[in-house]
Amino acid sequence: MSSIHNDPSSNGTTFDGVTVTVDLIAGDCVIHSQRPGPCRDIPYRKRFNSIDEIQGAYQVQFGLGVTDPVAANVARALKFAATQLMAQRKGDKRG
């Protein structure tokens, strides 16, 4: 079983180095980014399983984004994912 999260370069939306993949069927998203490490950047991947989790993480990343440009990009990616999932939810209720 393949997931769209396995290929973020083809299935994701990028916000200045931070890529988000949104699975509308599963109702989740994965953030793919790089974090500074001691010798080089370290790949970072985090899954959010619901809109509530995404919104909570968005609030934290938005606050950190004042001083951390990576956090600001993660916040933008999370906002995009939440918007996509809420639009899908509204579409499901109509049909």
Side-chain angles (χ1 to χ4, degrees), residues 45-82:
R45 179 179 161 142
K46 176 69 178 164
R47 178 184 301 268
F48 298 94
N49 296 305
S50 69
I51 292 175
D52 290 336
E53 284 184 9
I54 294 168
Q55 290 173 333
Y58 169 78
Q59 290 177 348
V60 171
Q61 294 299 312
F62 184 79
L64 293 172
V66 173
T67 58
D68 182 359
V70 175
N73 291 326
V74 170
R76 283 189 213 103
L78 289 168
K79 184 176 181 178
F80 172 81

Side-chain angles (χ1 to χ4, degrees), residues 7-30:
D7 189 9
S9 60
S10 296
N11 301 316
T13 303
T14 302
F15 298 87
D16 198 23
V18 175
T19 303
V20 61
T21 53
V22 181
D23 188 338
L24 297 175
I25 296 169
D28 67 356
C29 77
V30 175

